[in-house]
Amino acid sequence: MQLKTYQQATLDTLRRFFEAAQAHGPKAAYEAITTEPDQARRLRGYGGRYTPLLGQEGMPYVCLRLPTGGGKTLLAAHSVAVARDAWIGRDYPPVLWLVPTTTIRRQTVDALNNPRHHYRKALAAAFGEPVRVFDIADFTRLTAADLSRHLCVFVATIQTLRVENTEGRKVYAHHEALEPLFANVPKRISGLEPLGAEVAKRVGGHPDDIRYSLANLLHLHRPLMIMDEAHKAVTGLSREMQARVNPSAIIEFTATPHPKSNILHAVSAAELKAEQMIKLPVRLDEHQTWEGAVTGAIARRAELAEKAGRDRDGYIRPLVLFQAEDKGREVTVDVLLEHLRSVHHIPADKIAVATGDQRGLDGIDLFSPDCPIDYIITVEALKEGWDCSFAYVFCSVANIRSATDAEQLLGRVLRMPYARRRKAPALNKAYAHLVSKSFAEAATALKDRLVDMGFEEQEAEASIEAAPTLGEGLFGARARPLPSARIEVAADAGTLAAVRAAAPDRLSVEDGAIRITGFLREAEKAAVYAALPAPAAAHVREQVAAYEAEHAHEAAPAELGQTFVVPRLMAQMQGELVFADTDRLSEYFDWSLAEAGHQLTRDQFDVAETADAFQIDLDGDRLTVAHSDVSDQLLLDVPVEGWTESGLVALLAKAVRQDDVRPAELLAWLADVVGFLVRDRHLPLAALMRCRFMLARRLRDRIAAVRQAARERAYQSCLFGPDAAPTVSVEHGFRFADGMFDGVPAYRGSYRFTKHFLPAVPVFDSGEDGEELSAAKQLDAVPEVDVWVRNVASHPAAFWLPLATGRTYPDFVARLTDGRLLVVEYKGGHLVRDAAEKRLAGELWERSGGGLYVFAERERDGMNVRDQIRRAIGRG
């Protein structure tokens, strides 16, 4: 399973942290990474200062923040290999995987034990099979061979280990079945829990002898600790439990971090939507009564089912999740169930009840086309790990203010089926039907629920869309409420339904009339007129024209259906035009590991063994690794005399393997590297074997350097070389249109832009006094500019230009009044490391016929941003 871009970026940041922690310690590594400008903007004030856990300065402890639907558990599975390679340095580090509830514990164990599940596949790809997964109650099956030859994962609830009195708890109890795993361990070790008088008397030992307990075994082997939903575990007692376990590192995963966590990386809801992981926005309908909310949810499901039936891109059966009230309240599960059957005449086999007492979903495959279930009633039972992306509609029959568990249930309807955007816009949204006395109350409560699920407050507001019947909402991505018009139509119900189908997001049908919200596109208007009888079509055409004449000035150009295309930079390769993307261009150029060379100098890699540690020089970084970290007798199953150069090469090949390097070439190169270190540099093979993870890290860096050099050659040759013939393509260009940046938080400051092409201006990286906002104001004031767009960096719909190291996303894209295109890259007061490369790429796009390119600075030659842009327009 290929990871999403944001998921890979999360793991890359974690790897960088561990590698930097090896050289400089966790605190310095964390503070260096989280204060980088890009990372600081991403963290929005979360990072910057590191707090060690229990005073253990040398143990890494970080938190990764992902909103609901971001794939936290999948990333947790991938993070095990990252920690092994970049920090722990052992083939098979044990893993203690902690979850908040028993339900999630069972689900996690089942998933990790399933060879077809993505979680298990992630572990097996990095560690091979078998992977040994233990429910915390089954650890007595563990053998010494398991620990030394396989990855062992122990799954437990946080509560299992969170005890003050260890007596009677299985994980802390003495188990003679574990004695073989303590065979080489001294009878008494400081830090391990002793037998105590009572247990010693029972087993015939000394009270000071160590217990053969799982807790003591984990303490000895220093497991990697994975914590799911970690915000529920940050208490003093949890910290004491973590000290007993003695982890080598702790990685937390949560949507809502505790302030005490060291948040290393944060993912936004916009990133999840851009990767088609979640349905957004959430369409909100508020109702005065619970019966009205139920009726609205049922009608919405019917509408979505009709659209899903026409969608050929994978089977979808939209589901409704009803949240009933607790026993003793008005609308209990039984009341709601009877209402669905007697009032709405829904067959019993289409309804499932999932509560603590009723397990109507057990053994049911909701994804099966043969499954009849369309409605699920629960109170809060679904919040614990339940996941079905067919859930589209969330309906709470209680006043939303009292629904303390609503955020978890709402999260069940956000996941996108197949993680793929659908052709019908309605199938890309989630739907909430809430009981509330006012729209403002419902919208505020729903926004709070989204914040509880890990959305930033601006993201939450931008992710709520008011149903057209609600009028002017308080929240949503648009900068202004949409106008609306009611047009009476002389047509039957079937004709009106066909009219509505022409633009379901902008048309609704009322008694003998249609209601337009916003503005219809030309193709949509043509479809409406074609569906109507000639007299009715003429009437509607006249009313639409009058409506547009009255309200067009209120709309952004994109809302009126306008679009424009920015040409894409292209390159000529072997007689055909291809995207000028460095990844694509590199495919036409070969490179070899021979370019890396096999001779590592002392400055590049060196190992010096002392009495109790190895000191490793790694390109200027001096790392110290204690013998106990790399050669613990409990973990080594191969004697030193069995180590060989070929064995080391095989282990390095497994750690260094690359998708774009042939295995035979890699093995030959690694053999040369090892041979040089052993025979020419006279480094002991045993030292190399024990420090092979550090050596693998250095070799990966060397391969990456050679690959990047090849990318730079391809980039220069194809775009700037003497035979290069770059051009631009409108056919393959970037299309700017309404909805392209939906889901991106909007600017909500006091300034009102008059020329922005989209109805909402994507949020700026800085506040009201920021330089980027100032540049946007000056661009908005340029007389020659017709419309402009705040380009969103890294967004799939955004305009980009190639760099040798990746892509650059200019800050602004504009269309001038004379039809020319203008791209503006703004350089603020801070230095831009790749400013020269960005400028060259932009100027190449301009020379190739794309349009005008301006690399604007806060001030240059006495000119502000506005003057620099006007000078470029005049020059062009």
Side-chain angles (χ1 to χ4, degrees):
M1 179 181 182
Q2 185 173 0
L3 293 175
K4 300 294 185 181
T5 301
Y6 74 86
Q7 292 172 331
Q8 189 60 58
T10 302
L11 292 176
D12 290 344
T13 302
L14 182 64
R15 182 182 295 277
R16 283 204 300 135
F17 164 74
F18 278 133
E19 289 179 346
Q22 283 276 13
H24 310 293
K27 183 176 187 295
Y30 174 86
E31 293 178 353
I33 290 174
T34 58
T35 54
E36 293 172 356
D38 290 344
Q39 197 67 5
R41 282 194 295 270
R42 173 180 289 279
L43 292 172
R44 298 178 183 271
Y46 281 119
R49 188 172 182 179
Y50 182 84
T51 303
L53 189 62
L54 296 167
Q56 298 183 38
E57 299 282 348
M59 185 196 68
Y61 160 52
V62 290
C63 177
L64 303 176
R65 178 181 183 269
L66 293 95
T68 296
K72 293 187 288 293
T73 308
L74 178 63
L75 282 181
H78 280 278
S79 71
V80 177
V82 172
R84 174 198 64 182
D85 296 343
W87 173 255
I88 301 173
R90 292 192 337 231
D91 286 319
Y92 304 108
V95 178
L96 179 59
W97 193 305
L98 298 179
V99 297
T101 68
T102 300
T103 300
I104 295 180
R105 189 193 83 211
R106 295 193 188 109
Q107 292 169 345
T108 303
V109 170
D110 290 344
L112 293 177
N113 270 322
N114 182 356
R116 295 187 297 275
H117 200 285
H118 294 307
Y119 305 163
R120 174 60 170 262
K121 288 180 178 179
L123 295 175
F127 295 91
E129 290 284 15
V131 172
R132 302 283 280 138
V133 180
F134 298 88
D135 190 301
I136 198 64
D138 300 330
F139 65 84
T140 52
R141 299 185 292 111
L142 182 68
T143 68
D146 288 331
L147 279 176
S148 61
R149 299 177 184 175
H150 307 296
L151 177 71
C152 294
V153 182
F154 303 88
V155 184
T157 61
I158 297 165
Q159 291 79 8
T160 302
L161 300 179
R162 188 191 291 172
V163 289
E164 292 178 286
N165 180 5
T166 64
E167 295 298 328
R169 288 283 186 164
K170 190 173 182 181
V171 76
Y172 295 102
H174 180 81
H175 295 275
E176 294 186 13
L178 296 180
E179 182 177 1
L181 286 81
F182 290 85
N184 297 319
V185 179
K187 286 287 187 181
R188 300 172 190 177
I189 298 180
S190 175
L192 298 188
E193 191 163 13
L195 285 173
E198 183 177 338
V199 178
K201 183 178 180 180
R202 175 166 52 85
V203 301
H206 191 279
D208 293 335
D209 291 347
I210 61 174
R211 290 190 183 193
Y212 299 153
S213 68
L214 177 63
N216 277 349
L217 190 67
L218 291 173
H219 188 104
L220 282 170
H221 288 270
R222 304 207 62 201
L224 169 67
M225 185 182 288
I226 300 290
M227 299 196 70
D228 188 9
E229 295 302 336
H231 64 283
K232 299 181 180 180
V234 183
T235 68
L237 196 55
S238 294
R239 298 308 191 219
E240 181 185 347
M241 172 269 291
Q242 290 161 352
R244 284 172 172 164
V245 172
N246 190 30
S248 58
I250 299 176
I251 311 172
E252 299 180 343
F253 295 85
T254 184
T256 51
H258 192 282
K260 295 180 182 179
S261 298
N262 297 316
I263 303 167
L264 178 70
H265 190 84
V267 174
S268 70
E271 289 177 282
L272 267 61
K273 185 180 184 232
E275 295 274 11
Q276 305 177 34
M277 292 290 286
I278 56 177
K279 314 176 189 101
L280 281 181
V282 179
R283 173 70 69 90
L284 172 61
D285 286 81
E286 57 92 12
H287 304 269
Q288 297 295 309
T289 65
W290 70 266
E291 293 94 342
V294 171
T295 300
I298 293 172
R300 179 70 68 187
R301 198 214 71 81
E303 174 195 339
L304 295 173
E306 187 270 333
K307 295 181 185 302
R310 298 199 304 264
D311 193 309
R312 299 181 180 180
D313 201 17
Y315 170 74
I316 295 176
R317 189 181 70 263
L319 303 176
V320 177
L321 299 187
F322 287 112
Q323 182 184 33
E325 293 186 294
D326 292 325
K327 293 179 180 179
R329 305 292 295 276
E330 178 188 1
V331 193
T332 62
V333 170
D334 292 338
V335 170
L336 181 55
L337 181 61
E338 176 61 24
H339 180 78
L340 293 177
R341 290 174 174 174
S342 61
V343 176
H344 294 281
H345 307 291
I346 296 173
D349 66 343
K350 290 185 176 291
I351 307 172
V353 177
T355 66
D357 300 325
Q358 297 172 270
R359 317 292 294 184
L361 291 177
D362 287 357
I364 300 295
D365 180 8
L366 289 170
F367 293 103
S368 171
D370 298 327
C371 180
I373 295 173
D374 292 331
Y375 305 93
I376 299 170
I377 302 176
T378 188
V379 178
E380 61 178 76
L382 295 183
K383 70 179 184 179
E384 296 182 347
W386 186 87
D387 184 14
C388 178
S389 56
F390 284 3
Y392 266 83
V393 184
F394 167 65
C395 177
S396 177
V397 297
N399 190 304
I400 191 68
R401 290 179 301 176
S402 62
T404 56
D405 294 306
E407 65 269 14
Q408 289 290 348
L409 288 171
L410 177 60
R412 302 312 106 195
V413 303
L414 290 186
R415 288 165 172 79
M416 178 69 78
Y418 311 110
R420 191 165 63 243
R421 189 171 287 113
R422 323 308 296 183
K423 291 181 180 178
L427 294 175
N428 296 323
K429 301 177 182 179
Y431 300 86
H433 290 262
L434 307 180
V435 180
S436 178
K437 301 303 180 184
S438 71
F439 173 73
E441 179 182 289
T444 300
L446 184 57
K447 183 202 74 173
D448 291 343
R449 300 286 77 76
L450 291 172
V451 170
D452 289 340
M453 292 159 54
F455 286 46
E456 293 291 344
E457 188 156 337
Q458 283 185 321
E459 289 181 319
E461 291 186 2
S463 299
I464 300 172
E465 176 183 287
T469 56
L470 296 179
E472 297 181 6
L474 300 181
F475 300 96
R478 299 186 178 276
R480 60 185 72 83
L482 291 174
S484 179
R486 185 179 185 276
I487 304 174
E488 295 187 358
V489 181
D492 57 37
T495 300
L496 290 178
V499 168
R500 186 180 183 281
D505 288 335
R506 282 177 276 274
L507 286 176
S508 58
V509 175
E510 303 173 358
D511 293 337
I514 60 174
R515 177 170 293 279
I516 301 174
T517 302
F519 300 89
L520 298 175
R521 310 294 179 257
E522 290 301 323
E524 293 170 343
K525 286 188 283 188
V528 168
Y529 304 149
L532 291 168
H539 171 68
V540 171
R541 184 182 286 107
E542 179 182 334
Q543 293 297 309
V544 168
Y547 165 70
E548 290 179 345
E550 179 182 358
H551 294 287
H553 69 281
E554 303 174 18
E559 290 178 290
L560 298 175
Q562 291 187 26
T563 63
F564 69 93
V565 177
V566 181
R568 184 190 298 268
L569 189 63
M570 310 287 286
Q572 288 279 357
M573 297 299 301
Q574 299 179 4
E576 65 172 335
L577 279 178
V578 300
F579 291 173
D581 181 44
T582 306
D583 288 339
R584 180 72 184 276
L585 300 179
S586 299
E587 295 175 1
Y588 292 85
F589 290 79
D590 294 329
W591 58 277
S592 169
L593 286 179
E595 301 173 44
H598 67 276
Q599 300 179 346
L600 291 177
T601 66
R602 282 183 170 79
D603 291 337
Q604 295 167 333
F605 180 81
D606 199 16
V607 179
E609 187 172 5
T610 63
D612 57 357
F614 293 99
Q615 287 191 344
I616 306 172
D617 282 336
L618 202 67
D619 251 358
D621 286 334
R622 179 175 288 273
L623 316 178
T624 300
V625 182
H627 280 174
S628 60
D629 290 340
V630 294
S631 61
D632 194 323
Q633 286 84 356
L634 294 171
L635 301 174
L636 293 179
D637 61 319
V638 180
V640 172
E641 56 266 24
W643 289 346
T644 63
E645 289 185 31
S646 60
L648 175 57
V649 168
L651 291 171
L652 289 174
K654 185 178 178 181
V656 178
R657 60 185 175 184
Q658 310 281 317
D659 292 338
D660 55 352
V661 178
R662 291 181 296 107
E665 181 184 7
L666 180 63
L667 284 170
W669 181 69
L670 291 173
D672 290 340
V673 170
V674 171
F676 175 78
L677 293 175
V678 172
R679 290 187 291 275
D680 294 76
R681 291 272 310 278
H682 305 294
L683 292 177
L685 179 62
L688 293 177
M689 184 68 80
R690 287 169 171 154
C691 298
R692 63 185 179 276
F693 285 93
M694 298 299 177
L695 176 57
R697 170 181 161 186
R698 183 65 194 91
L699 296 177
R700 283 195 300 268
D701 290 344
R702 178 164 280 207
I703 294 173
V706 173
R707 181 188 294 109
Q708 182 55 37
R711 285 169 53 87
E712 292 175 1
R713 289 197 301 271
Y715 179 78
Q716 290 294 328
S717 174
C718 297
L719 297 179
F720 297 96
D723 298 325
T727 185
V728 295
S729 170
V730 174
E731 179 184 358
H732 299 291
F734 299 88
R735 183 173 178 269
F736 284 72
D738 192 25
M740 63 182 296
F741 291 145
D742 279 357
V744 174
Y747 166 71
R748 298 185 180 277
S750 58
Y751 190 83
R752 290 292 173 259
F753 294 100
T754 61
K755 297 181 180 180
H756 197 264
F757 179 71
L758 302 174
V761 182
V763 68
F764 297 95
D765 291 337
S766 52
E768 283 287 296
D769 298 326
E771 293 186 17
E772 193 177 54
L773 175 58
S774 174
K777 293 176 182 178
Q778 295 181 65
L779 174 63
D780 198 60
V782 173
E784 294 87 351
V785 168
D786 178 24
V787 293
W788 63 275
V789 179
R790 160 84 168 91
N791 199 40
V792 179
S794 301
H795 193 282
F799 171 75
W800 55 265
L801 291 168
L803 300 177
T805 54
R807 296 174 177 178
T808 178
Y809 294 81
D811 297 286
F812 308 107
V813 177
R815 184 181 65 199
L816 303 181
T817 54
D818 61 11
R820 289 181 296 168
L821 297 172
L822 170 71
V823 168
V824 179
E825 177 76 65
Y826 176 68
K827 174 188 174 183
H830 59 284
L831 295 177
V832 179
R833 290 192 300 270
D834 52 0
E837 188 180 9
K838 289 182 177 181
R839 186 195 296 266
L840 287 173
E843 291 173 348
L844 178 65
W845 176 80
E846 178 179 299
R847 290 197 305 273
S848 301
L852 298 175
Y853 176 84
V854 179
F855 194 92
E857 301 178 45
R858 182 172 56 183
E859 183 177 347
R860 185 172 68 233
D861 300 331
M863 294 184 293
N864 60 16
V865 173
R866 178 178 180 273
D867 294 337
Q868 293 171 53
I869 292 172
R870 295 201 70 189
R871 182 176 69 174
I873 292 173
R875 183 192 71 235

